[in-house]
Amino acid sequence: MSAEPERLNLKTDGMSCAACSARIEKALSKVPGVSEANANFSNSIVSVLYDPSATGREQIAAAIKGAGYEVIEDDPDAIAERERASARSLARSLAVSVIFSVPLAIFAMGPMIGLNVPFREDSAVYAAIQLILCIPVLLAGRRFYVRGYPALIARSPTMDTLIALGTTAAVAYSLYSTFLVFGGDHHAIHSLYYDSAAIILTLVSAGKLLESRSKVRTNDAVRSLVSLAPKTACVVRDGREAVIPADELAVGDIAIVRPGESIPADGRVIDGSSSVDESMLTGESMPVRRIAGDEVFGGTANMNGLLKISVEKVGGDTVLFQIVRMVMDAQGTKAPVARAADRTAAVFVPAVMLIAFAAGILWYVFDGDVQFSIVAMISVLVISCPCALGLATPLAVTVGTGKAAEYGILFKSAAALERAGRITTVVLDKTGTITEGRPGVTGASAEITDAVLSLAASAEYGSEHPLAKAVLSYAEERGITLKEVSEFTSEAGGGVRCIIGSDDVMVGSRRFLESSGIAIPPAEDDGRTQIFVAVTGEYAGMFSISDPVRPSAASAVASLERMRIKTMMVTGDSEGTARAIAAEVGIDEVRAHSLPRDKLNILISLQTDGENVLMAGDGINDSPALMQADLGIAVGSGTDIAIGSADAVLMNDDVRSIPAAVEIGRASLRNIRQNLFLAFVYNIVCIPIAAGLPHLAGIDVPEMPVIAAAAMSLSSVSVVSNALRLRSFRPKSIESRSKALPKG
């Protein structure tokens, strides 16, 4: 019997292009129990969905290693240090390449521009010097050969394979020409391409270094989140305060947090009061008051009071690390728009190799020029860039999900981020989404005696609904004693029913009670929510409840309207109450008296009409609709079921985050399209030129392999740079609200 699938994210080392990603995914697809594998080239994360009863981390890591890539430890500090070490290694290799390739280029090409180069008249010495200068560059760029040729042997060629083949062809032909020079053929001195091989390796290495540094910047959001976790904690042990490493905290520890310090773990205040800055989790700039009994979260900042906290969650169980995990999960998945790019990248390198060899053979057959044939072949191998194609989507997704996290918007997958960019209609639940979800009883009919209130409050005790909590609070304020309940049942969107003593008690909407044959007298609909009570089949009274509208709701609806997105409010409440709230926030279309199945059917109807629908809600009764929606968003105050059903989660209660999520989705989708355009157009235009198309018109491009290497590096850098523009994106719908994470 298979277990519930689990997702595993592994940081890897060695991926250099989209073909590497495809190679890892192919290897993992052969592991029993693995149902999904995504290798993200942009951040080197491999995300695997697997059956833990069939396989485990060791087998998955072994498959990745078997494909030729290394799994590195998950510790963020170790990963950051490894990335820095990799960048330093690339910089050292580049420095060696530059030191030797620059004089080699001057020595080889100087005579073309009139420079008096030493030993130019002695062909043998001239060729030998070029070979000697080329060797250190080949050694500095050996990673292209170490990775490229094994991939070719494994029939999974990568970008490194193209560079290795291109430069090997240049060096091999140059060695042959050098042999001819030493044999007395002085004309062969014009067929040396040591400088081309060296400059290709140098330019590609420069591009890889820029690409590496740029890719590191795309993960700043996750690194900023992780860095917020304090390194130490002050705890009370054996009656004394002691400072310990934060990772040694245990559930049940008592932590002391002074003003200006960060809270070390999730817990509950047991003594003291203070204002706590929770902006890194919620995006809300205003500190919130926390007193004894309140929940606090690791990584948030204590502002001005001394707090004594009982630790309840540590390490990976804290909200902060759950957010990090959710963001990494999203960055490890692939958006649907990436599938076409993946399919293209999978066949790209073999196709380029075929084109390169075909170009070389055809030019030799029809033109008879061996030298030009080799130049054309080398140029095609070098100029083709699967990197740009492979980076186009994952980089934009990585930056986009990180940007969303800065505003307290957590996308669970790359697909959810893409769907956010296609939304045409937004459906909003009322209670807890448009309203604050903290309703209070503002009136009760004459029939509501203390005895009836006791029955109603006792019945509502088992309900999670905010309206039930309003009735309970109302009873608590009046000192009403609750009674023992049996045979409790709840109908989502309707109400509750139970037995209390000998009484059959029902509390809920008019429709809920009337469906059981209970006659309810007409009541004036004053815009407040009405909750009715029946005892043993007879009407027993009514509560009037109002729930204040969120201050940000009207602004959020206005932002959606400006974005030409249709809005609709769907609620189980009465028509009058629903229309009063909708009018206050500017929503024209309202569907009242909607049960969970009604909400579901409304979404299906909209989707049938061609709408891409976003549903935002926070209750159990919203779960079916959240799952049906193209994009389901659960607000941070929602139930675990609602959050589990949604595609994205808001860590705050600011409704403006809903249009902001759409804005970020649109910006990311636009960026992906731009990147794919750059990558595809680059290859479509450059490959024919490199293959010698201008030669048909009598135009020869001097040093074409060198130009090809420069163009290839620039193509990757252009895609990376375009993706990084997303880091400066700011949603217009929440311009007035500060971001969750500090810059940097």
Side-chain angles (χ1 to χ4, degrees):
M1 183 177 178
S2 62
E4 187 72 21
E6 294 182 5
R7 184 168 291 280
L8 175 67
N9 291 319
L10 296 173
K11 190 76 173 180
T12 62
D13 185 35
M15 273 198 279
S16 63
C17 68
C20 297
S21 304
R23 187 178 179 186
I24 291 174
E25 290 170 4
K26 182 179 179 181
L28 288 172
S29 68
K30 298 177 182 177
V31 178
V34 171
S35 57
E36 178 187 309
N38 292 304
N40 189 330
F41 167 39
S42 72
N43 55 15
S44 299
I45 290 176
V46 177
S47 182
V48 184
L49 192 66
Y50 70 101
D51 180 355
S53 66
T55 190
R57 187 185 192 279
E58 290 184 3
Q59 291 89 337
I60 292 170
I64 295 172
K65 189 173 182 180
Y69 304 89
E70 187 179 352
V71 175
I72 59 180
E73 55 188 305
D74 296 331
D75 178 61
D77 291 334
I79 290 172
E81 177 54 37
R82 194 180 187 95
E83 288 175 343
R84 286 192 291 269
S86 176
R88 288 195 295 268
S89 176
L90 280 170
R92 285 195 297 270
S93 297
L94 178 61
V96 171
S97 296
V98 170
I99 288 170
F100 288 93
S101 63
V102 170
L104 173 56
I106 295 172
F107 198 75
M109 293 186 284
M112 300 180 193
I113 57 174
L115 289 180
N116 186 17
V117 176
F119 306 109
R120 180 66 181 85
E121 301 304 323
D122 190 333
S123 300
V125 175
Y126 186 66
I129 291 174
Q130 290 189 46
L131 172 60
I132 291 168
L133 288 172
C134 183
I135 290 173
V137 182
L138 294 174
L139 292 174
R142 62 188 176 277
R143 64 184 174 279
F144 295 108
Y145 307 99
V146 170
R147 293 176 179 175
Y149 282 120
L152 180 62
I153 294 168
R155 292 185 295 179
S156 298
T158 66
M159 187 212 79
D160 292 335
T161 305
L162 297 180
I163 300 302
L165 286 172
T167 53
T168 298
V171 172
Y173 186 65
S174 298
L175 286 172
Y176 172 70
S177 298
T178 301
F179 177 77
L180 293 179
V181 168
F182 275 88
D185 184 359
H186 300 294
H187 183 72
I189 198 73
H190 300 293
S191 299
L192 298 179
Y193 287 98
Y194 293 120
D195 59 316
S196 294
I199 295 173
I200 286 169
L201 290 172
T202 301
L203 290 172
V204 174
S205 296
K208 297 297 286 184
L209 178 60
L210 290 172
E211 184 183 296
S212 173
R213 288 178 174 174
S214 298
K215 285 199 296 182
V216 167
R217 293 170 61 197
T218 67
N219 293 298
D220 280 350
V222 171
R223 268 188 288 272
S224 297
L225 273 170
V226 172
S227 69
L228 292 171
K231 303 298 182 186
T232 60
C234 179
V235 296
V236 177
R237 294 204 173 155
D238 300 324
R240 293 185 174 183
E241 291 186 18
V243 177
I244 64 170
D247 56 11
E248 293 181 10
L249 275 172
V251 173
D253 276 340
I254 304 300
I256 306 296
V257 186
R258 293 178 169 81
E261 295 180 343
S262 292
I263 294 171
D266 292 3
R268 201 165 296 276
V269 178
I270 57 175
D271 189 28
S273 63
S274 181
S275 294
V276 177
D277 181 1
E278 297 182 349
S279 62
M280 44 75 69
L281 291 180
T282 67
E284 298 289 355
S285 58
M286 294 299 293
V288 292
R289 189 72 177 166
R290 294 293 181 235
I291 60 174
D294 287 344
E295 195 174 13
V296 290
F297 304 100
T300 58
N302 181 25
M303 303 295 288
N304 51 26
L306 181 69
L307 293 176
K308 187 178 287 187
I309 296 166
S310 174
V311 175
E312 295 180 348
K313 293 179 182 178
V314 297
D317 293 330
T318 62
V319 169
L320 175 62
F321 279 92
Q322 286 174 9
I323 292 173
V324 171
R325 193 177 301 117
M326 193 178 293
V327 173
M328 290 184 68
D329 281 348
Q331 294 179 348
T333 60
K334 290 186 177 180
V337 73
R339 299 303 173 187
D342 283 349
R343 287 192 294 269
T344 303
V347 299
F348 184 85
V349 175
V352 166
M353 291 170 60
L354 183 62
I355 293 170
F357 291 122
I361 292 169
L362 288 172
W363 278 119
Y364 177 71
V365 170
F366 291 105
D367 197 54
D369 189 337
V370 175
Q371 186 174 340
F372 184 79
S373 300
I374 291 176
V375 167
M377 182 181 68
I378 294 171
S379 299
V380 172
L381 288 170
V382 171
I383 203 167
S384 307
C385 188
C387 287
L389 194 59
L391 285 169
T393 298
L395 267 181
V397 167
T398 300
V399 179
T401 50
K403 173 58 62 175
E406 292 180 5
Y407 291 98
I409 305 164
L410 304 181
F411 286 99
K412 292 184 179 180
S413 68
L417 178 67
E418 181 186 331
R419 290 196 299 271
R422 303 183 189 275
I423 294 301
T424 58
T425 297
V426 171
V427 176
L428 301 167
D429 175 49
K430 180 180 74 69
T431 305
T433 303
I434 293 176
T435 63
E436 292 185 355
R438 293 190 291 271
V441 174
T442 54
S445 66
E447 296 89 350
I448 300 291
T449 62
D450 284 354
V452 173
L453 179 56
S454 177
L455 293 173
S458 300
E460 294 283 41
Y461 184 77
S463 174
E464 291 281 339
H465 200 282
L467 298 181
K469 290 180 169 56
V471 174
L472 280 168
S473 297
Y474 185 66
E476 186 180 341
E477 290 169 5
R478 282 153 183 75
I480 299 298
T481 303
L482 301 185
K483 300 178 182 295
E484 189 173 340
V485 172
S486 63
E487 298 182 31
F488 175 88
T489 60
S490 172
E491 181 183 302
V496 298
R497 185 171 193 158
C498 64
I499 302 296
I500 302 177
S502 60
D503 294 318
D504 182 351
V505 180
M506 295 181 70
V507 185
S509 66
R510 176 185 289 272
R511 184 166 68 171
F512 177 61
L513 271 64
E514 288 180 341
S515 67
S516 295
I518 296 167
I520 299 175
E524 181 185 354
D525 194 343
D526 58 1
R528 292 182 293 178
T529 301
Q530 296 172 340
I531 297 296
F532 301 91
V533 184
V535 179
T536 318
E538 297 292 333
Y539 170 74
M542 177 194 75
F543 299 101
S544 291
I545 298 175
S546 63
D547 186 6
V549 172
R550 293 190 189 278
S552 60
S555 173
V557 172
S559 293
L560 291 168
E561 294 289 343
R562 282 195 299 271
M563 295 162 66
R564 297 184 179 179
I565 293 174
K566 292 184 288 187
T567 56
M568 176 190 296
M569 187 173 78
V570 179
T571 177
D573 220 331
S574 67
E575 188 79 25
T577 301
R579 293 210 171 275
I581 297 295
E584 187 173 343
V585 299
I587 296 176
D588 295 326
E589 193 167 354
V590 177
R591 304 288 176 86
H593 298 296
S594 297
L595 298 174
R597 63 175 177 271
D598 298 322
K599 294 182 179 181
L600 182 62
N601 290 334
I602 288 168
L603 261 68
I604 292 173
S605 176
L606 288 167
Q607 290 169 326
T608 302
D609 291 339
E611 300 290 337
N612 290 313
V613 184
L614 182 156
M615 170 71 192
D618 75 326
I620 292 173
N621 62 326
D622 297 320
S623 299
L626 288 172
M627 295 183 72
Q628 175 63 37
D630 295 283
L631 181 70
I633 293 185
V635 298
S637 59
T639 65
D640 290 339
I641 293 176
I643 291 172
S645 305
D647 302 301
V649 178
L650 304 185
M651 296 305 295
N652 54 69
D653 294 329
D654 190 336
V655 192
R656 290 175 297 175
S657 296
I658 295 170
V662 177
E663 286 188 73
I664 292 171
R666 286 183 175 182
S668 300
L669 191 56
R670 184 166 57 248
N671 195 274
I672 288 170
R673 287 169 174 162
Q674 291 167 349
N675 287 346
L676 288 173
F677 176 80
L678 286 171
F680 277 113
V681 168
Y682 163 82
N683 283 295
I684 289 169
V685 171
C686 290
I687 290 177
I689 295 174
L693 192 62
H695 189 65
L696 293 174
I699 302 171
D700 287 326
V701 182
E703 295 297 327
M704 186 61 205
V706 173
I707 295 172
M712 188 274 285
S713 297
L714 287 172
S715 71
S716 290
V717 173
S718 66
V719 168
V720 171
S721 300
N722 189 57
L724 288 175
R725 290 192 308 110
L726 269 177
R727 297 175 78 238
S728 61
F729 178 76
R730 188 172 179 82
K732 294 180 181 178
S733 50
I734 48 177
E735 281 183 344
S736 60
R737 203 182 83 196
S738 66
K739 295 189 299 182
L741 299 179
K743 288 185 178 180

